[in-house]
Amino acid sequence: MKNMKKMILIISVALMIFIVGCSSKDVSLTDIKDKLKDTVDFSTFSKEEDASYLKDTFDFDTDKIEAYEMYGPQTNLNTNAVLLLRLKDASDASEFKEKIDAYKSNLVEIYKSYAPDQAKLVEDSVYEEHGKTIVLVISDKSEEVKKALADLYK
């Protein structure tokens, strides 16, 4: 019986991932940002206009990015960030996820000893892929961000 419950859970999770992964609702970066503004206080961020920030911070191949919105922390005392990417090709998403994961791991290492609350924010961050769109939000409002994105992509 226990194995059956595990199997049902695994199949349910796989099905959910498949359904979410296959949903190709095209939502603009502006619509995502506007939806997130209901949850996240953007006045606590600095907007990064220069694409070199993406290269320097994440080691992204900026030639593979169609559009982006990047909001970083105003000081290096916190880790808050919102990254919205529109890739030219959805097949590049796994490459970008690897670089985002490396960035997050690095932040956790940096902050865990002197600002463990900030390290926890990074660990609890929201990462979602929707076709060619990638969303990363590091905030103390992770649960609210997840709900906002779910509403946007339903």
Side-chain angles (χ1 to χ4, degrees), residues 15-111:
L15 186 58
M16 201 164 79
I17 290 170
F18 176 76
I19 290 169
V20 169
C22 289
S23 68
S24 59
K25 185 175 181 184
D26 194 24
V27 179
S28 75
L29 298 186
T30 302
D31 290 344
I32 297 169
K33 181 179 71 176
D34 289 346
K35 185 68 171 175
L36 291 176
K37 280 185 174 179
D38 295 340
T39 305
V40 179
D41 180 6
F42 274 73
S43 71
T44 63
F45 298 102
S46 290
K47 184 169 184 179
E48 304 297 339
E49 304 277 355
D50 193 346
S52 66
Y53 181 88
L54 298 177
K55 177 75 176 140
D56 297 341
T57 305
F58 297 95
D59 192 31
F60 287 160
D61 180 349
T62 54
D63 291 338
K64 294 182 178 182
I65 298 172
E66 182 179 306
Y68 73 93
E69 296 254 357
M70 176 67 211
Y71 302 86
Q74 290 179 339
T75 71
N76 51 359
L77 298 177
N78 67 54
T79 56
N80 291 340
V82 174
L83 172 64
L84 309 174
L85 290 175
R86 175 74 50 130
L87 305 178
K88 291 178 180 175
D89 188 338
S91 66
D92 291 326
S94 62
E95 170 189 332
F96 281 81
K97 181 174 183 348
E98 285 176 22
K99 296 194 179 203
I100 289 169
D101 287 345
Y103 168 77
K104 287 171 38 179
S105 294
N106 187 44
L107 280 182
V108 169
E109 279 303 308
I110 290 169
Y111 283 91

